[in-house]
Amino acid sequence: MKIEFNQFDEEMINKEATLMTTGNGYLGVRAVHEEKYRNQDQGFFVRGIFDQTVGTETAELVNLPDITELELRINGEIFSLNSPQITDYQRFLDLSTGELVRSLKWQTEQGDWFKITNKRIVSQKKKEQIAFQLIVEPLSRDCTLSVKAGIDGQVSNGGNQHLIERDLRVYDECVLVADYETIESHLSLGLAMRLNKSGAISAKNRKIQTSIQEACQRKDAFVFEKVVYVYSSLETDDPFKAAKKAAQQEITYEEIAAAAKESWAEFWLAHRVVIDSENAFDQLALDFSCYHLQIMTPDDPQFSVAAKGLTGEGYKGHVFWDTEIFILPFFLHNKPAIAKSLLKYRYFRLAGAKEKARQNDYQGALFPWESALTGYEETPKYAAINIRTGKRQIISSAAAEHHIVADIAYAVMDLYQATADQEFMDQYGKELLKETALFWLSRGVEVNGRIEIHDVIGPDEYTEHVDNNAYTNYLAAHNVRSALEQQVGDPKLHQQFEYFLEHLYLPNINAEGLIPQDDTFLSKPVIDLSTYKEQAGNQLILSDYSRQEVIDQQILKQADLVMLFYLQPYVFDFATIKQNLYYYEDRTIHDSSLSKAIHAIVAARIHEAEWAYEMFQAACKIDLNDLPHTSDEGIHGAALGAVWLAAIFGFAGITKNKVLEINPQLPKAWKRMSFQFHWKGENMAIDLTQDTLVLTKKTKKKLPIVIEGATYSLEEKLEWSRK
Ligand code: BGC
């Protein structure tokens, strides 16, 4: 269970830093090397710490002071990975323990050899704690070592300054403490670093550091440890004091590591998807996904998951539909309390969503396309400047990608169905359903006796400002139907819901068997997309065609109708899904990382397991590929969530209706698959081979399960085999 980079390559430096991020949902530390390298992007984030600099358009997740840097000198020579004399280089993130390790041997210019090991681990229970260790072993002769380490406030988000330094202090000669405040949002931040050695302290240019010098004998080891604590005013009134207090406690790297490793062992025991595949990479990719899902997700309802988790500055730390549709299901079926917390985040931000609806003359709640701390719209108005024309492309998502409203309602129902938690529904779910349904009532327009939804962007962002996007209309119907089922509001409102549902136009198959993605899509010209599909993810089409030209052709960025097939598998018949999957996939570039794994699910459901497997494997490589720059700005959180979705809802073949249905579709390469799945308050263990299925749970309570069309009752154990 390791992500390894066993060669130092400056070109890959930011990819490594992203992929091997350590974290715990509260904080994330990019896996930057301890030394400074020219293009290395440092990144340290705490969920919820947003700030908006004057003159910029939106709030961004603040990149916090650097705590990773460590300057090492041996006999006066400064250590760098660019030195020509490095052997036995190894660097890996052990997914099973959450520990990042780098070890190597270095020969100084004076000809002496040293073994240098750096380790890093983030605590899982004590969320504010991070530990670092450096071990230097002189292999040739005695030496003098010096290290410099501390807290460096000379950081920014791509040049935007967000932090005022209020105080820098040292206590007991080994505890460095820094106090910051975000410039506009006025959040306080306390950072403390406890060192296992004391030295000469200096504080200058937003940097507090200690310099330690020591003699080290051959065959002895020099062990230097830093334990960092970070607190903010989002949790405590005096983060400076909290950080200082925490750092005054003596604790070793090994103690912190032992506790963190225990937490990870528990996590994997309960939540690992175990695959026996001909391709070992499949298991690694699933482990990588689960690891990142765990470290990207806060467990506090005041916060949600950023599109890039806590691994980079990409998308400014904003929350999209990625959370409810792509990430939440992993938690729903593994740790339902976290799924509830993610929906509470939306519930607590109803004020912002209602305000956005009001500003646009709608009723109810119009959730922002991009959300941060406040719950108000954070989508930038413009994309990057076109340096030739000086013009900026308008981003229309905030104005039209309204399906997010129904996506949130969908997740409310998904949660209710899976947990049967009436209390959650009564306390949070119903209001979310009511306000979102009210939005759709006002969003629809009546045209010749039918209700239509005009001027939207569906999931496919290469098609803009269209009427009756099928995905949006069907999800809106589901939203309003759910509100009606849950009897939210008064009888008059129920009548309005009924009227809406009776009159809403739901695009259906035409004479050719195709479901129109929207009113105009099928009449647009078609072009050969093969070269763009080969380079999926690069958005190459936008350099050959203007955005308007892309919009005016049958070109999809990502799954749109296919998303609908995935989320509402019972609406269309097998043949319709099959025909439309082929039709639309042909026109889909998969330039969004949210696309391939969802196609894999739908392909598996129409018994195209091998095609599904190809798409699954491609989805697994969205971050885990050899290309140096695909993940520089952070991991693709939704894509990682979707890898898990593809395994469970594609290959294990789970569909959720009132009862659980299982139609296994393992690809040929997979001999076996086992995982746990939380459903209706029960933890089920599901074990599949090509032809058998074993379900077990701890209680005798009867649970109906449909396997390949036949209904069974699961008590403690159910064994099934394909005859
Ligand atoms: C996709 C959206 C997604 C966003 C954040 C965009 O490229 O088209 O569907 O929500 O990225 O991941």
Side-chain angles (χ1 to χ4, degrees):
M1 288 179 86
K2 279 182 187 163
I3 301 294
E4 292 177 284
F5 290 87
N6 288 331
Q7 203 182 346
F8 174 61
D9 178 356
E10 273 203 80
E11 190 63 15
M12 296 289 276
I13 208 161
N14 286 316
K15 174 159 210 149
E16 275 188 48
T18 295
L19 266 47
M20 302 201 289
T21 293
T22 46
N24 58 22
Y26 169 76
L27 61 82
V29 190
R30 279 169 68 76
V32 287
H33 290 276
E34 281 69 12
E35 308 77 35
K36 278 231 187 312
Y37 296 97
R38 212 158 30 95
N39 294 321
Q40 175 166 274
D41 293 332
Q42 182 278 144
F44 175 26
F45 306 96
V46 168
R47 51 90 188 113
I49 308 289
F50 285 97
D51 186 60
Q52 181 174 352
T53 317
V54 176
T56 62
E57 276 189 88
T58 61
E60 55 189 355
L61 189 68
V62 177
N63 200 341
L64 302 178
D66 184 24
I67 48 165
T68 56
E69 196 187 349
L70 195 155
E71 187 194 286
L72 169 68
R73 278 172 199 262
I74 305 184
N75 293 334
E77 259 179 63
I78 196 155
F79 171 71
S80 162
L81 291 172
N82 284 320
S83 156
Q85 292 298 356
I86 290 184
T87 63
D88 301 87
Y89 181 89
Q90 260 198 320
R91 191 172 193 229
F92 61 87
L93 169 70
D94 187 339
L95 299 170
S96 69
T97 61
E99 190 174 49
L100 177 68
V101 179
R102 186 185 76 182
S103 74
L104 54 93
K105 286 186 184 147
W106 178 45
Q107 188 183 32
T108 59
E109 279 179 20
Q110 294 162 22
D112 303 314
W113 283 97
F114 297 87
K115 182 168 184 214
I116 302 173
T117 310
N118 293 84
K119 293 184 180 176
R120 187 182 303 179
I121 202 158
V122 169
S123 181
Q124 297 300 302
K125 291 213 171 81
K126 192 164 177 47
K127 300 264 177 171
E128 308 81 9
Q129 189 184 51
I130 312 153
F132 300 84
Q133 187 185 55
L134 162 74
I135 303 177
V136 182
E137 296 160 78
L139 303 175
S140 316
R141 62 176 174 110
D142 302 352
C143 68
T144 308
L145 281 154
S146 78
V147 291
K148 275 189 193 163
I151 303 170
D152 181 0
Q154 289 185 25
V155 290
S156 69
N157 283 60
N160 291 336
Q161 272 292 335
H162 288 293
L163 294 170
I164 298 169
E165 180 187 274
R166 288 195 305 212
D167 202 358
L168 294 176
R169 304 289 287 275
V170 58
Y171 298 94
D172 309 327
E173 294 310 303
C174 65
V175 176
L176 314 179
V177 194
D179 187 12
Y180 302 96
E181 184 180 328
T182 54
I183 296 176
E184 297 298 323
S185 56
H186 301 293
L187 298 169
S188 302
L189 196 80
L191 255 173
M193 180 180 282
R194 181 185 180 88
L195 308 164
N196 69 338
K197 295 176 188 292
S198 52
I201 317 280
S202 64
K204 203 174 144 191
N205 297 337
R206 297 168 72 90
K207 196 168 180 174
I208 180 164
Q209 65 176 10
T210 188
S211 305
I212 292 150
Q213 205 171 36
E214 235 177 72
C216 184
Q217 313 252 303
R218 181 170 170 250
K219 299 240 165 96
D220 254 10
F222 169 84
V223 181
F224 177 66
E225 296 187 357
K226 310 188 288 189
V227 180
V228 174
Y229 297 87
V230 57
Y231 288 85
S232 87
S233 53
L234 293 169
E235 303 82 41
T236 171
D237 292 341
D238 194 339
F240 179 87
K241 206 166 132 196
K244 174 185 156 196
K245 188 170 166 226
Q248 277 169 336
Q249 188 215 341
E250 211 173 305
I251 188 158
T252 65
Y253 179 88
E254 289 310 332
E255 285 166 326
I256 295 170
K261 288 176 185 180
E262 203 179 299
S263 301
W264 277 108
E266 283 164 19
F267 173 82
W268 290 115
L269 194 64
H271 310 302
R272 190 169 189 218
V273 181
V274 181
I275 309 287
D276 182 357
S277 168
E278 275 168 20
N279 303 310
F281 176 72
D282 297 343
Q283 180 68 65
L284 182 70
L286 269 159
D287 290 341
F288 179 73
S289 294
C290 293
Y291 169 85
H292 272 285
L293 286 164
Q294 171 70 2
I295 69 161
M296 73 173 81
T297 308
D299 61 1
D300 178 328
Q302 288 308 330
F303 311 99
S304 186
V305 191
K308 303 279 180 199
L310 299 165
T311 66
E313 291 178 12
Y315 284 127
K316 301 182 189 299
H318 294 173
V319 181
F320 295 69
W321 71 312
D322 304 32
T323 300
E324 284 76 13
I325 300 297
F326 295 83
I327 293 164
L328 182 141
F330 169 79
F331 291 98
L332 179 54
H333 300 295
N334 279 289
K335 298 176 167 198
I338 305 275
K340 288 176 201 170
S341 173
L342 294 173
L343 283 173
K344 285 185 203 168
Y345 165 84
R346 296 295 189 181
Y347 174 86
F348 292 132
R349 276 153 191 79
L350 270 165
K354 284 185 185 172
E355 176 65 16
K356 182 174 173 188
R358 201 189 52 75
Q359 281 168 1
N360 290 280
D361 294 326
Y362 299 124
Q363 295 176 45
L366 170 51
F367 279 98
W369 176 244
E370 295 184 28
S371 181
L373 190 61
T374 62
Y376 291 88
E377 184 60 76
E378 299 283 358
T379 310
K381 286 201 178 60
Y382 298 99
I385 197 159
N386 178 324
I387 50 172
R388 300 199 194 288
T389 62
K391 290 201 178 114
R392 284 178 187 270
Q393 170 71 43
I394 291 180
I395 300 180
S396 304
S397 303
E401 215 163 334
H402 291 168
H403 65 81
I404 183 150
V405 173
D407 300 330
I408 292 169
Y410 183 92
V412 169
M413 289 313 286
D414 201 19
L415 184 127
Y416 183 62
Q417 189 189 48
T419 60
D421 186 339
Q422 193 59 47
E423 212 178 300
F424 183 88
M425 178 55 91
D426 293 341
Q427 221 176 326
Y428 306 99
K430 284 187 177 167
E431 196 169 337
L432 281 167
L433 289 177
K434 180 176 164 201
E435 296 301 332
T436 48
L438 272 171
F439 166 73
W440 292 115
L441 294 190
S442 63
R443 188 65 177 76
V445 285
E446 210 154 327
V447 182
N448 301 328
R450 74 176 187 188
I451 296 175
E452 303 192 350
I453 300 177
H454 288 175
D455 193 15
V456 295
I457 302 176
D460 162 29
E461 292 184 346
Y462 285 171
T463 306
E464 287 186 2
H465 300 297
V466 289
D467 297 342
N468 297 313
N469 166 258
Y471 176 89
T472 307
N473 286 25
Y474 276 90
L475 269 275
H478 176 269
N479 190 160
V480 174
R481 200 178 314 114
S482 306
L484 184 62
E485 264 167 34
Q486 291 299 319
Q487 293 283 293
V488 303
D490 56 24
K492 202 168 138 237
L493 188 60
H494 300 165
Q495 278 172 13
Q496 288 176 8
F497 288 157
E498 275 162 11
Y499 184 86
F500 179 89
L501 291 168
E502 275 160 27
H503 293 84
L504 178 65
Y505 164 53
L506 294 174
N508 211 328
I509 49 170
N510 64 13
E512 283 81 49
L514 295 173
I515 303 160
Q517 179 171 308
D518 56 64
D519 285 357
T520 49
F521 187 87
L522 293 176
S523 59
K524 292 177 179 174
V526 179
I527 55 162
D528 177 14
L529 293 175
S530 39
T531 48
Y532 303 108
K533 281 166 86 82
E534 275 160 29
Q535 305 229 34
N538 288 320
Q539 312 210 343
L540 274 189
I541 189 108
L542 295 175
S543 44
D544 290 349
Y545 293 90
S546 72
R547 189 144 195 119
Q548 195 54 49
E549 284 168 332
V550 171
I551 291 170
D552 289 340
Q553 307 187 68
Q554 292 194 27
I555 302 172
L556 282 83
K557 180 181 178 190
Q558 65 203 97
D560 192 293
L561 201 63
V562 174
M563 280 304 305
L564 175 62
F565 296 152
Y566 158 55
L567 291 176
Q568 301 193 358
Y570 299 98
V571 175
F572 301 101
D573 61 39
F574 191 93
T576 301
I577 294 177
K578 188 167 183 166
Q579 184 186 346
N580 282 273
L581 174 66
Y582 275 104
Y583 184 87
Y584 282 98
E585 199 286 326
D586 215 28
R587 288 150 179 76
T588 304
I589 300 180
H590 304 287
D591 265 345
S592 158
S593 64
L594 281 59
S595 193
K596 282 225 164 125
I598 300 300
H599 277 76
I601 300 174
V602 179
R605 285 183 180 162
I606 56 152
H607 305 167
E608 293 280 7
E610 296 317 305
W611 187 29
Y613 186 50
E614 262 171 51
M615 286 194 280
F616 170 81
Q617 287 188 306
C620 290
K621 289 191 179 136
I622 284 169
D623 284 303
L624 292 177
N625 56 50
D626 298 334
L627 304 166
H629 298 296
T630 52
S631 310
D632 284 1
E633 296 189 339
I635 45 104
H636 296 82
L640 294 172
V643 163
W644 183 87
L645 297 177
I648 307 302
F649 301 114
F651 301 134
I654 291 185
T655 40
K656 301 178 278 182
N657 203 357
K658 296 235 157 33
V659 295
L660 203 69
E661 287 195 30
I662 311 184
N663 297 292
Q665 287 296 327
L666 295 194
K668 276 201 212 92
W670 289 15
K671 283 200 197 68
R672 191 175 192 142
M673 171 182 189
S674 48
F675 58 97
Q676 298 195 29
F677 192 84
H678 188 96
W679 179 250
K680 310 268 184 217
E682 302 266 2
N683 246 349
M684 268 189 282
I686 302 185
D687 190 11
L688 293 149
T689 65
Q690 287 285 343
D691 295 306
T692 63
L693 172 59
V694 181
L695 302 173
T696 42
K697 62 181 182 64
K698 295 232 160 64
T699 72
K700 287 206 164 63
K701 204 174 113 195
K702 289 185 180 162
L703 209 56
I705 308 274
V706 176
I707 306 171
E708 293 198 343
T711 305
Y712 300 84
S713 174
L714 166 65
E715 290 181 31
E716 280 173 307
K717 187 168 189 179
L718 175 66
E719 287 179 88
W720 173 90
S721 70
R722 196 176 270 138
K723 305 238 158 54

